[in-house]
């Protein structure tokens, strides 16, 4: 029962209700960083990493600090500060200890602070009343779903270089239309929603 | 640091540039998460626009007031605290007075904190400008954003449910294209509107 529930959360946030394509979280980076597969992949890893850690930390704060003292209305302020601090700490930690990861994720980390996917998922965890494990699974699924969508987008945009796009459509407009097609495709998974 | 001389004309310029020339949504393509997510009907779109405008005006004002006291290194966290304070304010106000719009916008009200338009204006303008120009800039950008969101949500509501603000306006027998109020419709509408503006820009540019 418990495991089926976790699986349902994971599949829902990763595919059927994909963070980007159906919940519209983290769109700026989705269009901004998807110009090459390499950077899209790094961005995906960074987002996954930060979302999972932020889900864990914000769950503890929510459960042991905000709820017992009835300060739920401060959720937004507390969570965004936690995320900003966390990103800064992660940045300092990997710069000192894991230079390889630093080379890969370095420039994407600051972008993640203002990525709505991270704050959005922590708020969803709290609003849905997820427990610790469910929060982690939701965070992981969201991160992987983000990576899936952004890598697919980068792949399609790579192909687009050889396509003849009308002048008025070049740049952003065609990207949005690709997004529309992808959202339509992911919409087809809607029937798989496990309840 | 250059501060523009203070007069009515510059105030008007700061105000109007956000509406057309530097429209945050259609020209700069910033803050697209709420633009696509909540624009399923015109009243949701308007609610989002007004909430964002409120936050923009007050955060610009306060960031401009504290701009000379804040040390450069910690300015981003301080801006975030100021912005999220006003977001919390607007969230509580909306929950009290317009509960159904608050319900419909859901998670996207707290997410105004991470709307790139607000952080962008704070960083690029309000932290370097005097109070009045900063307020004018915030108001202009907010109205530009509200107009953009209203256009998108108007189009989606008319085609997707055949109504505007809840009133039937399409001819009888019109069957609504439900796809327009589902997620793919948001991307399609935004893409086509951006394409339209780019096309107009190209046409006008060629004439000159």
């Amino acid at each position: 029962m418990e495991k089926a529930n976790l699986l349902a959360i994971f599949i829902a946030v990763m595919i059927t209700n994909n963070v980007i394509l159906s919940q519209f979280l983290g769109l700026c980076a989705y269009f901004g960083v998807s110009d090459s597969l390499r950077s899209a992949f790094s961005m995906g890893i960074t987002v996954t990493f930060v979302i999972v850690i932020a889900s864990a930390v914000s769950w503890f704060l929510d459960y042991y600090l905000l709820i017992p003292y009835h300060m739920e209305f401060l959720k937004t302020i507390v969570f965004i500060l936690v995320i900003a601090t966390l990103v800064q700490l992660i940045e300092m930690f990997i710069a000192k200890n894991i230079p390889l990861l630093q080379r890969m994720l370095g420039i994407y980390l600051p972008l993640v602070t203002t990525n709505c996917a991270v704050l959005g998922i922590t708020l969803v965890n709290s609003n849905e009343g997820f427990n610790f494990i469910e929060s982690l699974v939701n965070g992981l699924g969201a991160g992987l779903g983000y990576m899936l969508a952004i890598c697919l987008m980068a792949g399609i945009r790579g192909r687009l270089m050889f396509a003849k796009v009308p002048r008025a459509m070049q740049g952003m407009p065609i990207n949005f239309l690709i997004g529309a097609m992808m959202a339509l495709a992911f919409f087809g998974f809607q029937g798989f929603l496990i309840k | 640091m250059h501060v523009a001389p203070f007069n009515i004309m510059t105030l008007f310029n700061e105000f109007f540039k956000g509406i057309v020339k530097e429209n945050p949504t259609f020209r700069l393509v910033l803050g697209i998460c709420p633009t696509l997510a909540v624009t399923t009907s015109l009243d949701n779109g308007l609610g989002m626009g007004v909430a964002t405008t409120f936050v923009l005006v007050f955060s610009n004002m306060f960031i401009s007031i504290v701009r000379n006291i804040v040390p450069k290194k910690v300015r981003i966290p301080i801006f975030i605290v100021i912005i999220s304070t006003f977001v919390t304010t607007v969230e509580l106000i909306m929950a009290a007075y317009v509960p159904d719009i608050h319900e419909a916008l859901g998670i996207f009200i707290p997410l105004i904190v991470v709307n790139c338009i607000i952080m962008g204006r704070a960083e690029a303008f309000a932290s370097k400008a005097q109070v009045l120009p900063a307020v004018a800039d915030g108001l202009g950008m907010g109205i530009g954003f509200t107009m953009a969101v209203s256009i998108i949500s108007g189009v989606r509501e008319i085609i997707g449910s055949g109504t505007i603000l809840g009133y039937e306006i399409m001819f009888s027998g019109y069957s609504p294209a439900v796809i327009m109020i589902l997620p793919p419709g948001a991307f399609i509408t935004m893409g086509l509107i951006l394409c339209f503006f780019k096309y107009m820009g190209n046409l006008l540019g060629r004439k000159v």
Side-chain angles (χ1 to χ4, degrees):
Chain A
M1 178 62 218
E2 179 72 356
K3 275 180 194 151
N5 187 23
L6 290 181
L7 186 69
I9 293 176
F10 186 74
I11 299 286
V13 74
M14 186 173 160
I15 294 175
T16 49
N17 284 325
N18 186 284
V19 248
I20 297 184
L21 296 168
S22 125
Q23 301 187 33
F24 299 112
L25 297 171
L27 278 172
C28 293
Y30 177 58
F31 291 116
V33 196
S34 58
D35 44 3
S36 79
L37 199 55
R38 205 189 161 79
S39 54
F41 185 68
S42 304
M43 184 69 189
I45 299 235
T46 319
V47 169
T48 313
F49 194 57
V50 175
I51 288 191
V52 172
I53 298 178
S55 299
V57 177
S58 63
W59 185 85
F60 276 109
L61 278 173
D62 197 30
Y63 196 77
Y64 288 109
L65 196 67
L66 295 184
I67 296 176
Y69 293 100
H70 302 290
M71 294 193 299
E72 287 97 336
F73 67 95
L74 288 178
K75 226 186 271 177
T76 319
I77 304 183
V78 172
F79 285 3
I80 185 72
L81 278 179
V82 165
I83 292 166
T85 322
L86 209 62
V87 170
Q88 199 76 47
L89 284 179
I90 294 175
E91 205 177 352
M92 289 182 336
F93 179 78
I94 63 170
K96 198 156 187 315
N97 296 315
I98 322 172
L100 183 74
L101 212 58
Q102 157 74 7
R103 265 206 302 279
M104 207 168 137
L105 313 181
I107 52 169
Y108 301 104
L109 267 170
L111 281 179
V112 175
T113 313
T114 49
N115 189 319
C116 17
V118 183
L119 181 62
I121 290 299
T122 55
L123 286 170
V124 166
N125 285 341
S126 160
N127 292 348
E128 297 275 323
F130 283 160
N131 65 28
F132 184 64
I133 303 292
E134 286 170 338
S135 298
L136 282 187
V137 169
N138 194 28
L140 184 67
L144 293 180
Y146 194 96
M147 189 150 85
L148 180 68
I150 201 170
C151 286
L152 285 175
M153 183 69 170
I156 299 176
R157 278 180 69 176
R159 289 300 180 92
L160 211 60
M161 276 189 230
F162 306 106
K164 243 191 186 160
V165 181
R167 194 157 153 242
M169 280 291 212
Q170 279 165 13
M172 271 301 177
I174 193 76
N175 290 347
F176 274 96
L177 291 182
I178 296 171
M181 296 306 137
M182 282 176 62
L184 209 55
F186 272 73
F187 206 63
F189 291 119
Q190 206 67 272
F192 290 152
L193 210 58
I194 316 163
K195 271 273 171 301
Chain B
M1 194 160 61
H2 174 73
V3 177
F6 193 80
N7 64 44
I8 291 295
M9 270 328 281
T10 47
L11 274 191
F12 271 109
N13 283 339
E14 301 306 351
F15 176 69
F16 281 112
K17 74 168 192 283
I19 298 181
V20 184
K21 210 171 74 197
E22 291 179 22
N23 187 298
T25 307
F26 292 144
R27 300 305 296 262
L28 310 178
V29 202
L30 285 177
I32 29 189
C33 305
T35 318
L36 296 190
V38 301
T39 50
T40 48
S41 70
L42 186 55
D43 40 1
N44 288 353
L46 277 176
M48 190 68 205
V50 173
T52 309
T53 309
F54 175 90
V55 176
L56 252 173
V57 169
F58 281 95
S59 66
N60 262 11
M61 182 198 285
F62 275 77
I63 286 167
S64 167
I65 290 174
V66 299
R67 71 183 189 280
N68 292 329
I69 334 170
V70 173
K72 258 217 141 29
K73 280 197 169 158
V74 292
R75 68 185 192 289
I76 302 284
I78 290 179
F79 293 170
I80 290 181
V81 174
I82 293 176
I83 294 169
S84 47
T85 308
F86 288 108
V87 171
T88 309
T89 316
V90 85
E91 190 184 0
L92 294 176
I93 293 176
M94 286 179 88
Y97 291 102
V98 278
D100 15 324
I101 292 185
H102 178 260
E103 188 73 18
L105 299 185
I107 190 180
F108 284 93
I109 302 177
L111 285 183
I112 296 176
V113 178
V114 280
N115 189 323
C116 342
I117 300 173
I118 297 176
M119 204 53 190
R121 291 330 286 170
E123 179 74 358
F125 193 87
S127 58
K128 296 176 191 129
Q130 284 170 312
V131 178
L132 272 180
V135 171
D137 174 80
L139 197 61
M141 286 288 164
I143 291 177
F145 177 75
T146 310
M147 276 170 46
V149 190
S150 309
I151 293 175
I152 298 171
S153 52
V155 170
R156 286 181 70 189
E157 192 182 348
I158 292 174
I159 305 179
S161 16
T163 59
I164 194 91
L165 286 173
Y167 297 105
E168 294 281 340
I169 53 154
M170 294 304 260
F171 51 88
S172 63
Y174 172 76
S175 63
V178 185
I179 184 80
M180 290 305 273
I181 52 174
L182 295 174
F187 285 102
I188 296 176
T189 318
M190 184 72 184
L192 292 182
I193 290 179
L194 280 179
C195 168
F196 172 74
F197 276 99
K198 206 161 174 192
Y199 183 68
M200 292 311 280
N202 285 349
L203 269 190
L204 295 178
R206 222 176 283 154
K207 263 183 207 146
V208 175

